[in-house]
Amino acid sequence: MKKLSKLIAIFLIMLSVLPFTSCSKDKKVTLNVYNWGDYIDESVISEFENKYGIKVNYETFATNEDMYVKIKAGGTAFDVAIPSDYMISKMIKEGMLEKIDFSNVPNYKFIDERFKGLDFDPNNEYSVPYMWGVVGIVYNKKMVSDPVDSWDILWNEKYKKQILMLDSQRESIGVALQKLGYSLNTTDKDKLEQAKEELIKQKPLVLAYVGDEIKDKMISGEAALAIAWAGDAVFMKQQNPDLEFAVPKEGSNLFVDCMVIPKTSKHKKEAEMFINFMCETEIAKKNTEYIGYSTPHKEAYKLLDEETRNDKTAYPDEDVLSRCEVYKDLSDMLKEYDRIWTEVKAAK
Ligand code: N2P
């Protein structure tokens, strides 16, 4: 009898503890967020964690290709990722993304219509625009005496070992294609081969192929010219007033990086909460001010100071935008890009 009442007592204790254990389990949701390096105000992540009691495991990548490989490999169950346009198309085609339930993302209404219905997600089902911008040349006015209005300058012997290229196949091959007068979306093998030859010819002039380090190297005056994303150029110009940014006359790339939910996600509802939070006007404003990239958020844009809103680097005029192309997913041609880029990097 004594034994039985002891068992009943243990059972009752377990029952009373159970609700608390499952409750604390709920609080332990960890959201895996995967973004480009130097592409968020990290205080915004803490604000999200405090507001919702959700922990964020934040990881970064350097190129769309790196991100794709890691998500495809499936080692980490990412809940939110921030790829660019062409990579979003590829991931949709390969069934790697969840459709977003937009009733859980009411702040989507703040995204400018210009960034909705774009080719990579024509029916606005999978992606919420995060930042956008153009690619161009950042240069040091004290070190460069020639006009910077063409990609040709990155092949000028005068600037030998003072040129930085982006260690990103799509950007660097795209620049070589546009220098030759071709589209950065060409799938013509002959044109791609010519672009490869251009990059190999340029190699002795290149100081380094870099990613986010581009900013430090340009700010310190270690290099004279670099391919750069406009948002990074905004930051570099603030740190060193000798720096300027130009979008070459041959044209360039216009990118739109968006928040998406990979199929690997185990917390879709919380992922949608995170995306919605990033689209809160004050959060989007704070994040945009910190990163320097161009916001697609209409209300956040209005709250930026006048100097930022009028900055032609972040918010270029129509004549610049009209000569820019958005990268398209090149499907099978990506193998060619991989091969070309490997050969360029291996060349002496
Ligand atoms: C930020 C990288 C931005 C990527 N460091 C542009 N698509």
Side-chain angles (χ1 to χ4, degrees):
M1 193 64 198
K2 235 182 174 182
K3 237 183 187 174
L4 189 66
S5 54
K6 207 172 169 190
L7 272 178
I8 290 171
I10 292 172
F11 181 68
L12 286 175
I13 291 171
M14 276 171 69
L15 266 188
S16 63
V17 161
L18 212 59
F20 295 107
T21 47
S22 71
C23 176
S24 60
K25 210 169 161 200
D26 277 344
K27 278 201 181 140
K28 277 195 206 130
V29 167
T30 297
L31 210 55
N32 292 313
V33 177
Y34 201 23
N35 192 6
W36 295 80
D38 289 354
Y39 214 31
I40 202 162
D41 175 346
E42 294 207 11
S43 73
V44 156
I45 299 179
S46 318
E47 279 188 54
F48 173 79
E49 289 180 320
N50 294 337
K51 182 165 175 181
Y52 293 103
I54 294 171
K55 189 173 156 17
V56 173
N57 167 41
Y58 186 73
E59 290 186 41
T60 61
F61 56 85
T63 67
N64 278 300
E65 288 68 28
D66 292 351
M67 178 232 46
Y68 169 83
V69 168
K70 189 151 177 184
I71 293 190
K72 195 87 180 175
T76 308
F78 286 109
D79 299 293
V80 177
I82 310 194
S84 308
D85 35 64
Y86 73 98
M87 192 49 78
I88 296 171
S89 295
K90 182 175 167 67
M91 294 171 91
I92 294 173
K93 278 186 217 157
E94 295 182 17
M96 289 171 70
L97 300 183
E98 287 282 355
K99 282 193 180 175
I100 295 172
D101 179 350
F102 281 87
S103 65
N104 293 330
V105 190
N107 294 333
Y108 183 63
K109 64 174 182 282
F110 296 130
I111 302 296
D112 194 321
E113 293 305 313
R114 286 192 294 150
F115 300 98
K116 292 182 180 169
L118 298 176
D119 282 355
F120 57 89
D121 185 9
N123 302 318
N124 306 313
E125 294 169 300
Y126 296 93
S127 60
V128 173
Y130 178 72
M131 296 285 160
W132 67 277
V134 293
V135 171
I137 300 174
V138 64
Y139 62 99
N140 189 313
K141 289 178 278 185
K142 292 220 169 111
M143 297 165 84
V144 179
S145 44
D146 302 280
V148 181
D149 60 356
S150 161
W151 293 116
D152 282 342
I153 197 153
L154 301 178
W155 274 257
N156 188 330
E157 292 277 343
K158 203 169 116 196
Y159 303 107
K160 187 168 182 175
K161 295 292 175 204
Q162 294 180 53
I163 296 167
L164 296 171
M165 291 292 280
L166 275 171
D167 191 7
S168 168
Q169 51 173 263
R170 203 67 208 256
E171 270 78 14
S172 289
I173 297 171
V175 163
L177 286 168
Q178 287 193 311
K179 173 186 187 283
L180 292 164
Y182 304 141
S183 161
L184 45 68
N185 285 313
T186 191
T187 52
D188 181 316
K189 284 195 177 171
D190 181 48
K191 291 178 178 165
L192 284 166
E193 213 45 39
Q194 291 174 44
K196 181 187 93 181
E197 291 308 323
E198 281 299 312
L199 291 169
I200 291 177
K201 196 166 87 193
Q202 182 207 30
K203 215 174 162 191
L205 312 182
V206 175
L207 175 66
Y209 297 88
V210 282
D212 283 326
E213 315 91 278
I214 237 173
K215 297 197 280 288
D216 285 346
K217 289 190 186 300
M218 288 305 294
I219 292 165
S220 67
E222 214 179 302
L225 295 142
I227 302 183
W229 291 295
D232 285 345
V234 168
F235 174 76
M236 289 185 256
K237 288 199 306 177
Q238 280 164 2
Q239 304 298 312
N240 181 347
D242 296 335
L243 299 178
E244 198 37 271
F245 180 75
V247 178
K249 57 179 185 246
E250 296 91 352
S252 188
N253 164 241
L254 167 72
F255 61 84
V256 186
D257 298 331
C258 303
M259 295 178 277
V260 298
I261 305 181
K263 276 264 163 75
T264 49
S265 174
K266 292 196 174 76
H267 307 290
K268 185 164 183 270
K269 193 172 68 103
E270 289 82 359
E272 286 165 347
M273 281 158 76
F274 181 83
I275 294 174
N276 193 51
F277 179 77
M278 293 307 290
C279 294
E280 277 182 18
T281 299
E282 278 304 322
I283 296 296
K285 169 188 176 268
K286 188 176 177 197
N287 198 31
T288 304
E289 282 175 342
Y290 181 88
I291 323 178
Y293 276 69
S294 324
T295 181
H297 192 293
K298 290 179 287 193
E299 298 306 311
Y301 174 77
K302 284 186 206 157
L303 297 176
L304 299 176
D305 63 47
E306 205 181 330
E307 200 187 325
T308 310
R309 277 184 282 122
N310 295 332
D311 182 347
K312 300 290 178 214
T313 298
Y315 300 96
D317 287 334
E318 200 40 53
D319 69 309
V320 170
L321 294 177
S322 64
R323 58 178 194 268
C324 291
E325 293 176 88
V326 177
Y327 294 130
K328 291 198 172 86
D329 168 39
L330 302 176
S331 303
D332 289 347
M333 285 311 282
L334 273 189
K335 282 196 242 74
E336 281 295 297
Y337 270 71
D338 281 343
R339 180 187 60 78
I340 288 174
W341 192 234
T342 309
E343 287 181 32
V344 170
K345 295 294 286 293
K348 289 275 172 275

